[in-house]
């Protein structure tokens, strides 16, 4: 899902000498206009000459890409699940437990897409503290009316995805574990049958403050969620 640290996670993976991940290949709409085109692009990617495509000196043990749920994945979920199982593709689900934090990150990202705060360009990811501080200064106002229905919808998407692709070889990974548990990356490398390496990325985290300091109308948001199943997200 978007705003779950997927860019940072992919950069970490690509720092491994035996892995090559090719980004969001289905961000281009033409590549996902129908299931036939999707399968053709999947075949092309998985049949690449791994060594040359990775541009690495080491042999490639794992090759893949990043696929967002809104890039045709759920639209053709049945056919895609069958393709993945038939071709023995391994899947890593990347989610964020605190979907309120994810929503705040989305609002901030949408604002920057419109305002282009860094020298007239939009940046979903940054590589310096100065850039991160500039983007983090914006505090969105959360719409209380649509907040809980939105979070319920996101939960449903997550459950639907796990149910649809449950028959694949897969693992579930959470943003919070990547941030706080060094063992998470070891678990990923074991899942992908990779020799263990210390992975690194030049990405700089944008939002480092507690959620209470990232939202303009935080008091109203916290009161709105108290007594609901999402109350834990405000602490």
């Amino acid at each position: 899902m978007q705003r779950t640290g997927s860019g940072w996670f992919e950069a970490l993976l690509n720092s491994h000498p035996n892995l090559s991940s090719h980004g969001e290949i289905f961000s281009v709409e033409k590549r996902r206009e129908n299931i036939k085109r999707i399968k053709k692009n999947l075949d092309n990617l998985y049949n690449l000459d791994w060594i040359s495509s990775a541009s690495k000196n080491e042999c490639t043990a794992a090759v893949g890409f990043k696929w967002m749920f809104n890039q045709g994945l759920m639209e053709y979920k049945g056919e895609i699940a069958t393709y993945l199982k038939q071709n023995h593709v391994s899947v890593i689900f990347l989610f964020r437990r605190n979907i309120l934090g994810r929503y705040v990150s989305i609002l901030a990202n949408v604002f920057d897409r419109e305002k282009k705060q860094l020298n007239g360009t939009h940046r979903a990811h940054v590589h310096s503290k100065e850039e991160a501080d500039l983007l983090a200064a914006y505090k969105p106002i959360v719409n209380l009316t649509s907040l809980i229905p939105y979070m319920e919808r996101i939960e449903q998407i997550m459950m639907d995805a796990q149910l649809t692709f449950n028959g694949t070889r897969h693992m579930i990974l959470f943003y919070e574990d990547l941030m706080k548990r060094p063992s998470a990356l070891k678990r990923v490398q074991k899942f992908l049958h990779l020799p263990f390496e210390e992975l690194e990325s030049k990405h700089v985290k944008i939002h480092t403050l507690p959620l209470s300091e990232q939202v303009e109308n935080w008091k109203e948001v916290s009161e709105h969620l108290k007594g609901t199943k999402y109350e834990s997200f405000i602490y």
Side-chain angles (χ1 to χ4, degrees):
M1 301 193 83
Q2 294 89 340
R3 313 312 297 171
T4 57
S6 63
W8 170 56
F9 178 55
E10 187 175 44
L12 287 169
L13 291 179
N14 272 322
S15 72
H16 196 291
N18 305 115
L19 182 145
S20 185
S21 185
H22 295 270
E24 297 179 38
I25 66 169
F26 290 114
S27 63
V28 180
E29 289 190 26
K30 189 175 180 180
R31 294 176 181 170
R32 61 176 198 265
E33 60 186 4
N34 54 56
I35 188 61
K36 183 178 179 180
R37 182 63 64 88
I38 287 174
K39 288 183 178 180
K40 180 180 179 182
N41 283 303
L42 288 172
D43 286 341
N44 288 341
L45 183 137
Y46 288 123
N47 287 308
L48 287 171
D49 179 277
W50 286 0
I51 295 177
S52 62
S53 68
S55 298
K56 296 182 177 180
N57 293 325
E58 304 291 335
C59 62
T60 301
V63 63
F65 66 101
K66 180 168 65 168
W67 201 345
M68 297 300 188
F69 287 153
N70 65 346
Q71 295 174 352
L73 179 59
M74 302 309 290
E75 186 177 353
Y76 303 102
K77 58 186 181 182
E79 298 96 324
I80 292 168
T82 298
Y83 176 98
L84 297 180
K85 285 186 284 187
Q86 289 178 343
N87 291 277
H88 310 289
V89 176
S90 297
V91 176
I92 300 176
F93 291 104
L94 181 58
F95 297 131
R96 192 165 178 166
R97 287 192 183 93
N98 191 329
I99 52 181
L100 173 62
R102 176 183 175 271
Y103 184 48
V104 172
S105 179
I106 287 174
L107 293 177
N109 189 55
V110 169
F111 177 80
D112 185 65
R113 187 180 295 124
E114 295 173 351
K115 300 299 182 180
K116 297 179 173 58
Q117 301 170 90
L118 293 173
N119 299 319
T121 61
H122 167 57
R123 296 280 192 86
H125 313 104
V126 297
H127 298 93
S128 74
K129 185 178 183 302
E130 292 73 21
E131 292 173 328
D133 289 345
L134 192 154
L135 297 184
Y138 170 70
K139 295 183 178 182
I141 296 176
V142 174
N143 185 316
L144 301 183
T145 304
S146 60
L147 179 58
I148 290 179
Y150 171 83
M151 293 198 290
E152 290 174 339
R153 188 167 71 253
I154 295 304
E155 282 186 324
Q156 185 58 49
I157 291 172
M158 292 166 64
M159 291 170 54
D160 187 21
Q162 292 176 71
L163 181 63
T164 298
F165 299 101
N166 189 50
T168 64
R169 179 178 181 269
H170 68 276
M171 69 174 289
I172 298 173
L173 186 65
F174 289 96
Y175 167 81
E176 288 84 354
D177 292 338
L178 281 175
M179 290 296 300
K180 298 178 181 178
R181 299 180 182 176
S183 61
L185 286 176
K186 291 184 179 180
R187 191 161 60 94
V188 169
Q189 293 178 75
K190 182 178 180 180
F191 173 74
L192 295 175
H193 305 300
L194 295 169
F196 177 73
E197 295 277 348
E198 291 291 344
L199 306 182
E200 58 185 19
S201 167
K202 294 181 180 180
H203 285 220
V204 175
K205 183 172 172 57
I206 296 173
H207 297 102
T208 58
L209 296 175
L211 272 179
S212 58
E213 298 181 47
Q214 295 181 38
V215 177
E216 188 67 33
N217 59 333
W218 178 253
K219 183 178 180 180
E220 292 82 358
V221 170
S222 58
E223 288 296 325
H224 187 68
L225 294 180
K226 284 181 180 177
T228 73
K229 64 179 179 178
Y230 303 114
E231 183 174 358
S232 63
F233 294 158
I234 65 179
Y235 299 115

